[in-house]
Amino acid sequence: MTRRAPSPAVVFAVAVAGIAIFSSMDAVMKGLVLQLGAFTTLFWRTLAGIVFTGAIYLPTRKAWPAWPVMRVHLIRGCVSAVMAVTFFWGLARVPMAQAIALAFIAPLLALFGAALVLKERIPPSAILASLVAFGGVGVIMLGQAATAPSPDQFRGTIAVLLSATCYAYNIVLMRQQALVAGPSEVAFFQSIIVGVIFACVAPFLAEVPPVEHVPAILLAAALATVSLLILAWAYARGEANYLAPTEYTGFIWAALWGWVVFHEPVAPYTLAGAALIITGCLIAARRRTVENVEAAF
């Protein structure tokens, strides 16, 4: 039975909520990475994520995905594994706001990737929104250039940029995946595929974390699972070029958590850039038409 599709504004707002939850998870993960290292933190968070997503998906599944669907799951899982390791390794070496700002090249790349891979039309409003928001990132980077980064910060910057390139492809894959699978299936297979990849090298790189870190690992896994479910729902109902600018709102949360949790100052350049980022998202949200997708779940 076909249900009435939600309005573009609702879909956009849900995607923004998913990014807010994901950014909060980043703050939890940064604290863990500083204590445990990037790979150990990611490995145990992924194992916890498999348990959470499996508890949601397995009791309700009707059949295993067909090969074309599984192929998309596998590709996104592999891309996500590289994306996660490089991002959190870099996040431990640069301030949260800076890392998220660097990662904002992803939505701009995804805008054109969606046109190339998904054959989506790029509306002028989407281009304008991304350029305005990307200009905000440029303002932030201009302010950060005033202080010479250490070699470790430079390596962290390169790692985050590599992650952002992977994430641009990941945004396009998110749209492809959401059109052929429900949110619980997307979240489960993302977790289990990344988990299998990490398990192959875990004997050499992972360590058993102290018990006091277990609650934070579980919290990070729970936040990641909820974010995956919410974003899968949104990307099943909105085009990637329409929803990609919502990624920019993650900067606001990164600046907030970086200041509150890690005492990372927020510079005037950062605030000015954030204003442009919000403006870009408002321009994108004003778009009135979005591809109608049948609500199959």
Side-chain angles (χ1 to χ4, degrees), residues 146-180:
T147 59
S150 68
D152 204 37
Q153 286 178 319
F154 179 76
R155 287 190 290 268
T157 297
I158 297 302
V160 172
L161 288 173
L162 175 58
S163 176
T165 303
C166 293
Y167 192 48
Y169 187 29
N170 185 70
I171 292 174
V172 178
L173 290 170
M174 196 186 308
R175 171 66 171 166
Q176 284 185 310
Q177 197 178 31
L179 290 174
V180 297

PDB file of all heavy atoms in Angstrom, residues 146-180:
ATOM      1  N   ALA A 146      46.079  30.986  10.046  1.00  0.00           N
ATOM      2  CA  ALA A 146      46.874  31.978  10.783  1.00  0.00           C
ATOM      3  C   ALA A 146      47.807  31.319  11.786  1.00  0.00           C
ATOM      4  O   ALA A 146      48.814  31.900  12.192  1.00  0.00           O
ATOM      5  CB  ALA A 146      45.947  32.965  11.494  1.00  0.00           C
ATOM      6  N   THR A 147      47.480  30.105  12.203  1.00  0.00           N
ATOM      7  CA  THR A 147      48.346  29.368  13.139  1.00  0.00           C
ATOM      8  C   THR A 147      48.952  28.182  12.415  1.00  0.00           C
ATOM      9  O   THR A 147      48.243  27.357  11.845  1.00  0.00           O
ATOM     10  CB  THR A 147      47.528  28.861  14.348  1.00  0.00           C
ATOM     11  OG1 THR A 147      46.481  28.009  13.883  1.00  0.00           O
ATOM     12  CG2 THR A 147      46.922  30.034  15.101  1.00  0.00           C
ATOM     13  N   ALA A 148      50.262  28.097  12.394  1.00  0.00           N
ATOM     14  CA  ALA A 148      50.944  27.010  11.688  1.00  0.00           C
ATOM     15  C   ALA A 148      50.692  25.684  12.396  1.00  0.00           C
ATOM     16  O   ALA A 148      50.970  25.551  13.593  1.00  0.00           O
ATOM     17  CB  ALA A 148      52.448  27.285  11.637  1.00  0.00           C
ATOM     18  N   PRO A 149      50.167  24.671  11.682  1.00  0.00           N
ATOM     19  CA  PRO A 149      49.896  23.385  12.321  1.00  0.00           C
ATOM     20  C   PRO A 149      51.176  22.600  12.584  1.00  0.00           C
ATOM     21  O   PRO A 149      52.173  22.738  11.875  1.00  0.00           O
ATOM     22  CB  PRO A 149      49.030  22.670  11.284  1.00  0.00           C
ATOM     23  CG  PRO A 149      49.443  23.255   9.970  1.00  0.00           C
ATOM     24  CD  PRO A 149      49.776  24.687  10.269  1.00  0.00           C
ATOM     25  N   SER A 150      51.145  21.775  13.614  1.00  0.00           N
ATOM     26  CA  SER A 150      52.265  20.885  13.895  1.00  0.00           C
ATOM     27  C   SER A 150      52.270  19.751  12.875  1.00  0.00           C
ATOM     28  O   SER A 150      51.275  19.525  12.186  1.00  0.00           O
ATOM     29  CB  SER A 150      52.135  20.309  15.309  1.00  0.00           C
ATOM     30  OG  SER A 150      51.021  19.429  15.367  1.00  0.00           O
ATOM     31  N   PRO A 151      53.405  19.013  12.745  1.00  0.00           N
ATOM     32  CA  PRO A 151      53.425  17.875  11.816  1.00  0.00           C
ATOM     33  C   PRO A 151      52.315  16.862  12.094  1.00  0.00           C
ATOM     34  O   PRO A 151      51.732  16.321  11.156  1.00  0.00           O
ATOM     35  CB  PRO A 151      54.823  17.268  12.049  1.00  0.00           C
ATOM     36  CG  PRO A 151      55.652  18.415  12.516  1.00  0.00           C
ATOM     37  CD  PRO A 151      54.734  19.264  13.341  1.00  0.00           C
ATOM     38  N   ASP A 152      52.018  16.630  13.363  1.00  0.00           N
ATOM     39  CA  ASP A 152      50.961  15.679  13.699  1.00  0.00           C
ATOM     40  C   ASP A 152      49.595  16.205  13.259  1.00  0.00           C
ATOM     41  O   ASP A 152      48.766  15.454  12.761  1.00  0.00           O
ATOM     42  CB  ASP A 152      50.960  15.401  15.205  1.00  0.00           C
ATOM     43  CG  ASP A 152      50.334  14.058  15.541  1.00  0.00           C
ATOM     44  OD1 ASP A 152      50.536  13.087  14.764  1.00  0.00           O
ATOM     45  OD2 ASP A 152      49.625  13.967  16.559  1.00  0.00           O
ATOM     46  N   GLN A 153      49.369  17.509  13.432  1.00  0.00           N
ATOM     47  CA  GLN A 153      48.125  18.105  12.974  1.00  0.00           C
ATOM     48  C   GLN A 153      48.015  18.044  11.455  1.00  0.00           C
ATOM     49  O   GLN A 153      46.931  17.829  10.911  1.00  0.00           O
ATOM     50  CB  GLN A 153      48.026  19.557  13.446  1.00  0.00           C
ATOM     51  CG  GLN A 153      47.731  19.716  14.930  1.00  0.00           C
ATOM     52  CD  GLN A 153      47.700  21.176  15.333  1.00  0.00           C
ATOM     53  OE1 GLN A 153      48.526  21.974  14.894  1.00  0.00           O
ATOM     54  NE2 GLN A 153      46.750  21.530  16.182  1.00  0.00           N
ATOM     55  N   PHE A 154      49.137  18.231  10.775  1.00  0.00           N
ATOM     56  CA  PHE A 154      49.128  18.162   9.311  1.00  0.00           C
ATOM     57  C   PHE A 154      48.747  16.767   8.841  1.00  0.00           C
ATOM     58  O   PHE A 154      47.935  16.602   7.922  1.00  0.00           O
ATOM     59  CB  PHE A 154      50.503  18.549   8.754  1.00  0.00           C
ATOM     60  CG  PHE A 154      50.583  18.486   7.254  1.00  0.00           C
ATOM     61  CD1 PHE A 154      49.998  19.474   6.472  1.00  0.00           C
ATOM     62  CD2 PHE A 154      51.222  17.422   6.627  1.00  0.00           C
ATOM     63  CE1 PHE A 154      50.056  19.416   5.084  1.00  0.00           C
ATOM     64  CE2 PHE A 154      51.291  17.345   5.243  1.00  0.00           C
ATOM     65  CZ  PHE A 154      50.706  18.350   4.466  1.00  0.00           C
ATOM     66  N   ARG A 155      49.313  15.735   9.482  1.00  0.00           N
ATOM     67  CA  ARG A 155      48.956  14.361   9.119  1.00  0.00           C
ATOM     68  C   ARG A 155      47.478  14.103   9.410  1.00  0.00           C
ATOM     69  O   ARG A 155      46.800  13.410   8.642  1.00  0.00           O
ATOM     70  CB  ARG A 155      49.841  13.373   9.878  1.00  0.00           C
ATOM     71  CG  ARG A 155      51.285  13.319   9.379  1.00  0.00           C
ATOM     72  CD  ARG A 155      52.047  12.163   9.998  1.00  0.00           C
ATOM     73  NE  ARG A 155      52.297  12.396  11.422  1.00  0.00           N
ATOM     74  CZ  ARG A 155      53.397  12.979  11.897  1.00  0.00           C
ATOM     75  NH1 ARG A 155      54.327  13.414  11.063  1.00  0.00           N
ATOM     76  NH2 ARG A 155      53.569  13.146  13.199  1.00  0.00           N
ATOM     77  N   GLY A 156      47.001  14.660  10.521  1.00  0.00           N
ATOM     78  CA  GLY A 156      45.582  14.515  10.836  1.00  0.00           C
ATOM     79  C   GLY A 156      44.705  15.177   9.794  1.00  0.00           C
ATOM     80  O   GLY A 156      43.652  14.646   9.422  1.00  0.00           O
ATOM     81  N   THR A 157      45.137  16.335   9.300  1.00  0.00           N
ATOM     82  CA  THR A 157      44.388  17.034   8.263  1.00  0.00           C
ATOM     83  C   THR A 157      44.307  16.204   6.991  1.00  0.00           C
ATOM     84  O   THR A 157      43.241  16.089   6.370  1.00  0.00           O
ATOM     85  CB  THR A 157      45.057  18.391   7.958  1.00  0.00           C
ATOM     86  OG1 THR A 157      45.013  19.207   9.130  1.00  0.00           O
ATOM     87  CG2 THR A 157      44.357  19.103   6.810  1.00  0.00           C
ATOM     88  N   ILE A 158      45.421  15.611   6.584  1.00  0.00           N
ATOM     89  CA  ILE A 158      45.434  14.773   5.379  1.00  0.00           C
ATOM     90  C   ILE A 158      44.507  13.570   5.551  1.00  0.00           C
ATOM     91  O   ILE A 158      43.763  13.195   4.633  1.00  0.00           O
ATOM     92  CB  ILE A 158      46.870  14.290   5.074  1.00  0.00           C
ATOM     93  CG1 ILE A 158      47.775  15.495   4.766  1.00  0.00           C
ATOM     94  CG2 ILE A 158      46.865  13.311   3.906  1.00  0.00           C
ATOM     95  CD1 ILE A 158      47.321  16.344   3.612  1.00  0.00           C
ATOM     96  N   ALA A 159      44.515  12.969   6.740  1.00  0.00           N
ATOM     97  CA  ALA A 159      43.650  11.819   7.000  1.00  0.00           C
ATOM     98  C   ALA A 159      42.178  12.203   6.908  1.00  0.00           C
ATOM     99  O   ALA A 159      41.362  11.470   6.336  1.00  0.00           O
ATOM    100  CB  ALA A 159      43.958  11.232   8.380  1.00  0.00           C
ATOM    101  N   VAL A 160      41.817  13.360   7.456  1.00  0.00           N
ATOM    102  CA  VAL A 160      40.427  13.811   7.406  1.00  0.00           C
ATOM    103  C   VAL A 160      40.008  14.108   5.970  1.00  0.00           C
ATOM    104  O   VAL A 160      38.880  13.797   5.559  1.00  0.00           O
ATOM    105  CB  VAL A 160      40.217  15.039   8.312  1.00  0.00           C
ATOM    106  CG1 VAL A 160      38.829  15.621   8.113  1.00  0.00           C
ATOM    107  CG2 VAL A 160      40.408  14.647   9.779  1.00  0.00           C
ATOM    108  N   LEU A 161      40.893  14.708   5.179  1.00  0.00           N
ATOM    109  CA  LEU A 161      40.575  14.981   3.778  1.00  0.00           C
ATOM    110  C   LEU A 161      40.376  13.691   2.996  1.00  0.00           C
ATOM    111  O   LEU A 161      39.486  13.600   2.131  1.00  0.00           O
ATOM    112  CB  LEU A 161      41.684  15.818   3.145  1.00  0.00           C
ATOM    113  CG  LEU A 161      41.750  17.284   3.599  1.00  0.00           C
ATOM    114  CD1 LEU A 161      42.994  17.963   3.031  1.00  0.00           C
ATOM    115  CD2 LEU A 161      40.493  18.031   3.175  1.00  0.00           C
ATOM    116  N   LEU A 162      41.192  12.675   3.277  1.00  0.00           N
ATOM    117  CA  LEU A 162      41.005  11.367   2.636  1.00  0.00           C
ATOM    118  C   LEU A 162      39.655  10.776   3.032  1.00  0.00           C
ATOM    119  O   LEU A 162      38.914  10.245   2.197  1.00  0.00           O
ATOM    120  CB  LEU A 162      42.136  10.421   3.032  1.00  0.00           C
ATOM    121  CG  LEU A 162      42.015   8.975   2.527  1.00  0.00           C
ATOM    122  CD1 LEU A 162      41.934   8.940   1.004  1.00  0.00           C
ATOM    123  CD2 LEU A 162      43.190   8.130   3.028  1.00  0.00           C
ATOM    124  N   SER A 163      39.325  10.898   4.306  1.00  0.00           N
ATOM    125  CA  SER A 163      38.033  10.411   4.781  1.00  0.00           C
ATOM    126  C   SER A 163      36.888  11.152   4.098  1.00  0.00           C
ATOM    127  O   SER A 163      35.872  10.547   3.733  1.00  0.00           O
ATOM    128  CB  SER A 163      37.938  10.578   6.302  1.00  0.00           C
ATOM    129  OG  SER A 163      36.657  10.189   6.768  1.00  0.00           O
ATOM    130  N   ALA A 164      37.040  12.448   3.917  1.00  0.00           N
ATOM    131  CA  ALA A 164      35.985  13.246   3.292  1.00  0.00           C
ATOM    132  C   ALA A 164      35.741  12.821   1.850  1.00  0.00           C
ATOM    133  O   ALA A 164      34.596  12.805   1.378  1.00  0.00           O
ATOM    134  CB  ALA A 164      36.357  14.728   3.345  1.00  0.00           C
ATOM    135  N   THR A 165      36.816  12.461   1.156  1.00  0.00           N
ATOM    136  CA  THR A 165      36.665  11.978  -0.216  1.00  0.00           C
ATOM    137  C   THR A 165      35.858  10.679  -0.239  1.00  0.00           C
ATOM    138  O   THR A 165      34.974  10.485  -1.085  1.00  0.00           O
ATOM    139  CB  THR A 165      38.041  11.763  -0.860  1.00  0.00           C
ATOM    140  OG1 THR A 165      38.789  12.985  -0.810  1.00  0.00           O
ATOM    141  CG2 THR A 165      37.902  11.321  -2.300  1.00  0.00           C
ATOM    142  N   CYS A 166      36.155   9.796   0.704  1.00  0.00           N
ATOM    143  CA  CYS A 166      35.380   8.548   0.814  1.00  0.00           C
ATOM    144  C   CYS A 166      33.931   8.846   1.184  1.00  0.00           C
ATOM    145  O   CYS A 166      33.005   8.202   0.687  1.00  0.00           O
ATOM    146  CB  CYS A 166      36.004   7.634   1.875  1.00  0.00           C
ATOM    147  SG  CYS A 166      37.630   6.977   1.463  1.00  0.00           S
ATOM    148  N   TYR A 167      33.745   9.844   2.047  1.00  0.00           N
ATOM    149  CA  TYR A 167      32.390  10.149   2.502  1.00  0.00           C
ATOM    150  C   TYR A 167      31.543  10.743   1.384  1.00  0.00           C
ATOM    151  O   TYR A 167      30.318  10.559   1.361  1.00  0.00           O
ATOM    152  CB  TYR A 167      32.420  11.102   3.702  1.00  0.00           C
ATOM    153  CG  TYR A 167      31.084  11.230   4.394  1.00  0.00           C
ATOM    154  CD1 TYR A 167      30.345  10.098   4.724  1.00  0.00           C
ATOM    155  CD2 TYR A 167      30.554  12.471   4.717  1.00  0.00           C
ATOM    156  CE1 TYR A 167      29.120  10.196   5.363  1.00  0.00           C
ATOM    157  CE2 TYR A 167      29.321  12.590   5.355  1.00  0.00           C
ATOM    158  CZ  TYR A 167      28.613  11.439   5.674  1.00  0.00           C
ATOM    159  OH  TYR A 167      27.404  11.535   6.298  1.00  0.00           O
ATOM    160  N   ALA A 168      32.160  11.448   0.453  1.00  0.00           N
ATOM    161  CA  ALA A 168      31.415  11.967  -0.696  1.00  0.00           C
ATOM    162  C   ALA A 168      30.785  10.816  -1.470  1.00  0.00           C
ATOM    163  O   ALA A 168      29.603  10.862  -1.847  1.00  0.00           O
ATOM    164  CB  ALA A 168      32.350  12.778  -1.598  1.00  0.00           C
ATOM    165  N   TYR A 169      31.559   9.769  -1.706  1.00  0.00           N
ATOM    166  CA  TYR A 169      31.027   8.577  -2.377  1.00  0.00           C
ATOM    167  C   TYR A 169      30.003   7.880  -1.484  1.00  0.00           C
ATOM    168  O   TYR A 169      28.988   7.359  -1.950  1.00  0.00           O
ATOM    169  CB  TYR A 169      32.173   7.638  -2.725  1.00  0.00           C
ATOM    170  CG  TYR A 169      31.783   6.444  -3.571  1.00  0.00           C
ATOM    171  CD1 TYR A 169      30.710   6.506  -4.454  1.00  0.00           C
ATOM    172  CD2 TYR A 169      32.493   5.248  -3.489  1.00  0.00           C
ATOM    173  CE1 TYR A 169      30.367   5.407  -5.231  1.00  0.00           C
ATOM    174  CE2 TYR A 169      32.163   4.160  -4.260  1.00  0.00           C
ATOM    175  CZ  TYR A 169      31.093   4.243  -5.132  1.00  0.00           C
ATOM    176  OH  TYR A 169      30.747   3.158  -5.889  1.00  0.00           O
ATOM    177  N   ASN A 170      30.244   7.924  -0.176  1.00  0.00           N
ATOM    178  CA  ASN A 170      29.336   7.292   0.772  1.00  0.00           C
ATOM    179  C   ASN A 170      27.946   7.939   0.742  1.00  0.00           C
ATOM    180  O   ASN A 170      26.926   7.257   0.884  1.00  0.00           O
ATOM    181  CB  ASN A 170      29.916   7.389   2.183  1.00  0.00           C
ATOM    182  CG  ASN A 170      29.073   6.651   3.207  1.00  0.00           C
ATOM    183  OD1 ASN A 170      29.016   5.431   3.222  1.00  0.00           O
ATOM    184  ND2 ASN A 170      28.407   7.394   4.075  1.00  0.00           N
ATOM    185  N   ILE A 171      27.887   9.258   0.543  1.00  0.00           N
ATOM    186  CA  ILE A 171      26.598   9.939   0.470  1.00  0.00           C
ATOM    187  C   ILE A 171      25.796   9.441  -0.728  1.00  0.00           C
ATOM    188  O   ILE A 171      24.594   9.194  -0.637  1.00  0.00           O
ATOM    189  CB  ILE A 171      26.802  11.467   0.388  1.00  0.00           C
ATOM    190  CG1 ILE A 171      27.375  11.999   1.708  1.00  0.00           C
ATOM    191  CG2 ILE A 171      25.489  12.186   0.063  1.00  0.00           C
ATOM    192  CD1 ILE A 171      27.749  13.471   1.673  1.00  0.00           C
ATOM    193  N   VAL A 172      26.471   9.273  -1.862  1.00  0.00           N
ATOM    194  CA  VAL A 172      25.802   8.755  -3.057  1.00  0.00           C
ATOM    195  C   VAL A 172      25.344   7.323  -2.821  1.00  0.00           C
ATOM    196  O   VAL A 172      24.213   6.942  -3.168  1.00  0.00           O
ATOM    197  CB  VAL A 172      26.750   8.839  -4.270  1.00  0.00           C
ATOM    198  CG1 VAL A 172      26.084   8.259  -5.513  1.00  0.00           C
ATOM    199  CG2 VAL A 172      27.162  10.284  -4.526  1.00  0.00           C
ATOM    200  N   LEU A 173      26.210   6.509  -2.225  1.00  0.00           N
ATOM    201  CA  LEU A 173      25.848   5.126  -1.919  1.00  0.00           C
ATOM    202  C   LEU A 173      24.680   5.057  -0.941  1.00  0.00           C
ATOM    203  O   LEU A 173      23.837   4.159  -1.024  1.00  0.00           O
ATOM    204  CB  LEU A 173      27.057   4.385  -1.338  1.00  0.00           C
ATOM    205  CG  LEU A 173      28.200   4.092  -2.303  1.00  0.00           C
ATOM    206  CD1 LEU A 173      29.418   3.578  -1.531  1.00  0.00           C
ATOM    207  CD2 LEU A 173      27.777   3.061  -3.348  1.00  0.00           C
ATOM    208  N   MET A 174      24.622   6.026   0.002  1.00  0.00           N
ATOM    209  CA  MET A 174      23.535   6.058   0.969  1.00  0.00           C
ATOM    210  C   MET A 174      22.196   6.177   0.263  1.00  0.00           C
ATOM    211  O   MET A 174      21.217   5.525   0.629  1.00  0.00           O
ATOM    212  CB  MET A 174      23.744   7.242   1.921  1.00  0.00           C
ATOM    213  CG  MET A 174      22.916   7.192   3.193  1.00  0.00           C
ATOM    214  SD  MET A 174      23.093   8.706   4.191  1.00  0.00           S
ATOM    215  CE  MET A 174      24.872   8.844   4.342  1.00  0.00           C
ATOM    216  N   ARG A 175      22.160   7.006  -0.775  1.00  0.00           N
ATOM    217  CA  ARG A 175      20.935   7.182  -1.559  1.00  0.00           C
ATOM    218  C   ARG A 175      20.609   5.897  -2.318  1.00  0.00           C
ATOM    219  O   ARG A 175      19.463   5.426  -2.315  1.00  0.00           O
ATOM    220  CB  ARG A 175      21.114   8.362  -2.513  1.00  0.00           C
ATOM    221  CG  ARG A 175      20.005   8.534  -3.545  1.00  0.00           C
ATOM    222  CD  ARG A 175      18.690   8.889  -2.924  1.00  0.00           C
ATOM    223  NE  ARG A 175      17.717   9.255  -3.960  1.00  0.00           N
ATOM    224  CZ  ARG A 175      16.424   9.352  -3.764  1.00  0.00           C
ATOM    225  NH1 ARG A 175      15.914   9.119  -2.571  1.00  0.00           N
ATOM    226  NH2 ARG A 175      15.617   9.705  -4.748  1.00  0.00           N
ATOM    227  N   GLN A 176      21.600   5.296  -2.984  1.00  0.00           N
ATOM    228  CA  GLN A 176      21.378   4.050  -3.705  1.00  0.00           C
ATOM    229  C   GLN A 176      20.862   2.962  -2.767  1.00  0.00           C
ATOM    230  O   GLN A 176      19.908   2.237  -3.072  1.00  0.00           O
ATOM    231  CB  GLN A 176      22.687   3.572  -4.351  1.00  0.00           C
ATOM    232  CG  GLN A 176      23.095   4.334  -5.593  1.00  0.00           C
ATOM    233  CD  GLN A 176      24.334   3.711  -6.228  1.00  0.00           C
ATOM    234  OE1 GLN A 176      25.339   3.465  -5.556  1.00  0.00           O
ATOM    235  NE2 GLN A 176      24.262   3.447  -7.507  1.00  0.00           N
ATOM    236  N   GLN A 177      21.494   2.844  -1.620  1.00  0.00           N
ATOM    237  CA  GLN A 177      21.166   1.808  -0.649  1.00  0.00           C
ATOM    238  C   GLN A 177      19.767   2.004  -0.088  1.00  0.00           C
ATOM    239  O   GLN A 177      18.991   1.053   0.051  1.00  0.00           O
ATOM    240  CB  GLN A 177      22.205   1.842   0.465  1.00  0.00           C
ATOM    241  CG  GLN A 177      22.263   0.614   1.337  1.00  0.00           C
ATOM    242  CD  GLN A 177      23.367   0.745   2.381  1.00  0.00           C
ATOM    243  OE1 GLN A 177      23.687   1.843   2.826  1.00  0.00           O
ATOM    244  NE2 GLN A 177      23.944  -0.365   2.777  1.00  0.00           N
ATOM    245  N   ALA A 178      19.423   3.251   0.218  1.00  0.00           N
ATOM    246  CA  ALA A 178      18.126   3.538   0.834  1.00  0.00           C
ATOM    247  C   ALA A 178      16.964   3.283  -0.116  1.00  0.00           C
ATOM    248  O   ALA A 178      15.841   3.041   0.329  1.00  0.00           O
ATOM    249  CB  ALA A 178      18.093   4.986   1.324  1.00  0.00           C
ATOM    250  N   LEU A 179      17.212   3.309  -1.428  1.00  0.00           N
ATOM    251  CA  LEU A 179      16.155   3.070  -2.393  1.00  0.00           C
ATOM    252  C   LEU A 179      15.841   1.589  -2.566  1.00  0.00           C
ATOM    253  O   LEU A 179      14.796   1.230  -3.118  1.00  0.00           O
ATOM    254  CB  LEU A 179      16.526   3.680  -3.755  1.00  0.00           C
ATOM    255  CG  LEU A 179      16.521   5.215  -3.822  1.00  0.00           C
ATOM    256  CD1 LEU A 179      17.045   5.688  -5.161  1.00  0.00           C
ATOM    257  CD2 LEU A 179      15.121   5.765  -3.559  1.00  0.00           C
ATOM    258  N   VAL A 180      16.731   0.709  -2.106  1.00  0.00           N
ATOM    259  CA  VAL A 180      16.521  -0.727  -2.313  1.00  0.00           C
ATOM    260  C   VAL A 180      16.447  -1.512  -1.003  1.00  0.00           C
ATOM    261  O   VAL A 180      16.239  -2.729  -1.032  1.00  0.00           O
ATOM    262  CB  VAL A 180      17.643  -1.324  -3.200  1.00  0.00           C
ATOM    263  CG1 VAL A 180      17.615  -0.704  -4.593  1.00  0.00           C
ATOM    264  CG2 VAL A 180      19.020  -1.115  -2.561  1.00  0.00           C
TER     265      VAL A 180
END
